[in-house]
Amino acid sequence: MKVLFVGTGLIGGSFSLAMRAGGFLSEAGGYSRNPANLDRSIALGIIDQKFDTLALGIQWADWIILSIPVDVISKQLPGILDQLRPGQVVIDFGSTKGKICEVVADHPHRAQFIAAHPIAGTEYSGPDAAFATLFEEKLMIICEGDKTAEKSLASFKKVCQGLKMRLELMEAKAHDRHLAYISHLSHITSFALSNAVLDKEKDGDIILELAGSGFASTVRLAKSSPEMWAPIFMENKEMVLEALSNFLQKAEDFKKMLEENDASGLQNFLESGRNIRRVIN
Amino acid sequence: MKVLFVGTGLIGGSFSLAMRAGGFLSEAGGYSRNPANLDRSIALGIIDQKFDTLALGIQWADWIILSIPVDVISKQLPGILDQLRPGQVVIDFGSTKGKICEVVADHPHRAQFIAAHPIAGTEYSGPDAAFATLFEEKLMIICEGDKTAEKSLASFKKVCQGLKMRLELMEAKAHDRHLAYISHLSHITSFALSNAVLDKEKDGDIILELAGSGFASTVRLAKSSPEMWAPIFMENKEMVLEALSNFLQKAEDFKKMLEENDASGLQNFLESGRNIRRVIN
């Protein structure tokens, strides 16, 4: 199978390496708005050849995998579906699914599209961050799978299982709501925490020395790519704002209890937060 | 050297195991308000014997190491210093230092006290969480070291270096300010995030499945002991409130930009937060 990777960074690049390692790839092609990334991807063995235009790549490929910012997916997906021959499949790996599913809901080639989201990643980005085992034992969420042709969906599922991934079907709205709380919100608090600390602590050595106290863990996600994340927040705006408002209310509750020396209130707040250990070991 | 560990949980227990492994201990005694912890600590080899009263333990020991909630340290430290013979040393490992230093500032035995804070820990607590290598390559902060007798301070430093720790002297106020931003604030955002998510996501399986998306990392500190942390926030109230207010302002800035679809503002916010990668690798 010939696969075109549109975007060959952490996610697309790792998927290519994993498919190759699993024997699912005959050839990998790449297209990117950033030509330097493609040359680097060839050097790293992520792709075998690059295409100068997206159209040439689409013409060549059996599968087309989109691992690019979600706003670019929403914008380009209908045009990509327009160009498909029968049998070709387009898969997107965007972190939001509602708007992407919406823009192609009534497209005549909708059955050739798979809306997917691999729950895997690191705080790093670009082809150099890619590695073949990123997806092992991780979750692949597929949204609105009933709108994809059965045969195409089955062959995608087979590849995911070959990559040792678990599969879960989810409604696009439910996906975006869960991800707003469990992923997008975590990224916002990390970026906000980083900004608050960098504003006040001008001495990087002090931050580094004290980072072992828990800071490094809570701020890790702030290293993530702004180019990928700004569009995620905007595409999932409504749910992200709801999650953020709920978080801010909790933080304000804590602040008020501390201001009022409400020891038992604080204790209860910490105890209830600590219940997360019953869920995540 | 005979060391009395007042509190034999994660920090005190690990320090005892490390001192023993380094050959610095002839005997370890334990005292706790929770007798079950002492029996467990004997079973785990953390202490050799337990004392029924703090006074009996103090009488027996050369060094007394306090690893208990900071409000209990503030309350009991003057009374402990009252009971010291010449040559005995009391060391506290509390996460706040200002108030603790203040309550014994004019104590006649002040020179026998070392205000210390090892920057090490995990989200777990109790004797079972203790392990001998917790402090290796970590930082030991000593506050107001000039108020401790030179010889006592030198012997404590020697033990820390023997445990492969780095040493740093810091003013108590500066310590509490830095820790408010770089440690205490991280714990508050973790607890608040956990509460916000647990409120909305009633299905623990969903949280667990999506936790790999970054959530687990940002919420890890919410597993920390409320008994230890509520007093830290209250003892460092002023600095914690300042840090929390600055964080809340950043999060509100983000919210406003998202509400107003301010794409370039969001991009700048993420870019500036991402600068943390220049400090923490």
Side-chain angles (χ1 to χ4, degrees), chain B residues 30-49:
Chain B
Y31 172 76
S32 171
R33 294 177 301 176
N34 180 350
N37 267 2
L38 290 177
D39 292 332
R40 185 71 190 139
S41 299
I42 289 173
L44 290 165
I46 289 172
I47 55 171
D48 305 299
Q49 62 172 307

Side-chain angles (χ1 to χ4, degrees), chain B residues 133-152:
Chain B
T133 54
L134 175 62
F135 299 102
E136 279 182 18
E137 312 301 335
K138 300 291 165 55
L139 184 69
M140 179 69 83
I141 298 176
I142 299 170
C143 291
E144 305 194 353
D146 54 333
K147 291 195 173 178
T148 302
E150 258 181 58
K151 199 181 145 191
S152 304

Side-chain angles (χ1 to χ4, degrees), chain B residues 24-174:
Chain B
F24 293 107
L25 263 183
S26 64
E27 217 178 335
Y31 172 76
S32 171
R33 294 177 301 176
N34 180 350
N37 267 2
L38 290 177
D39 292 332
R40 185 71 190 139
S41 299
I42 289 173
L44 290 165
I46 289 172
I47 55 171
D48 305 299
Q49 62 172 307
K50 61 179 177 176
F51 291 91
D52 291 336
T53 68
L54 180 54
L56 282 171
I58 293 170
Q59 215 167 7
W60 168 84
D62 299 311
W63 278 14
I64 297 135
I65 294 182
L66 312 177
S67 309
I68 50 181
V70 288
D71 58 329
V72 185
I73 298 176
S74 295
K75 209 168 144 189
Q76 299 199 334
L77 185 57
I80 293 172
L81 289 187
D82 288 345
Q83 300 169 56
L84 295 189
R85 294 184 306 274
Q88 287 183 300
V89 179
V90 177
I91 303 151
D92 99 286
F93 282 169
S95 295
T96 59
K97 296 266 74 82
K99 191 168 171 199
I100 289 168
C101 286
E102 202 182 298
V103 296
V104 295
D106 301 317
H107 196 285
H109 295 165
R110 173 63 184 85
Q112 289 175 261
F113 169 60
I114 299 171
H117 182 197
I119 306 299
T122 72
E123 64 272 37
Y124 305 108
S125 48
D128 284 280
F131 57 99
T133 54
L134 175 62
F135 299 102
E136 279 182 18
E137 312 301 335
K138 300 291 165 55
L139 184 69
M140 179 69 83
I141 298 176
I142 299 170
C143 291
E144 305 194 353
D146 54 333
K147 291 195 173 178
T148 302
E150 258 181 58
K151 199 181 145 191
S152 304
L153 192 62
S155 88
F156 178 63
K157 284 181 176 177
K158 200 180 145 189
V159 168
C160 292
Q161 285 161 338
L163 268 46
K164 297 180 193 161
M165 298 188 77
R166 287 172 290 117
L167 289 164
E168 178 151 330
L169 301 178
M170 208 180 270
E171 284 308 302
K173 279 211 166 176

Side-chain angles (χ1 to χ4, degrees), chain A residues 128-178:
Chain A
D128 284 281
F131 58 99
T133 55
L134 175 62
F135 300 101
E136 280 182 18
E137 314 300 338
K138 301 290 164 58
L139 185 69
M140 179 69 84
I141 298 175
I142 298 170
C143 291
E144 307 193 352
D146 53 333
K147 293 196 171 175
T148 303
E150 257 181 61
K151 198 181 146 193
S152 305
L153 193 62
S155 88
F156 178 64
K157 284 181 176 178
K158 200 181 146 192
V159 168
C160 293
Q161 284 162 338
L163 269 44
K164 299 181 191 159
M165 298 189 77
R166 287 172 290 118
L167 289 164
E168 179 151 330
L169 301 178
M170 209 181 269
E171 283 308 303
K173 279 209 167 179
H175 169 278
D176 287 2
R177 185 181 174 286
H178 289 311

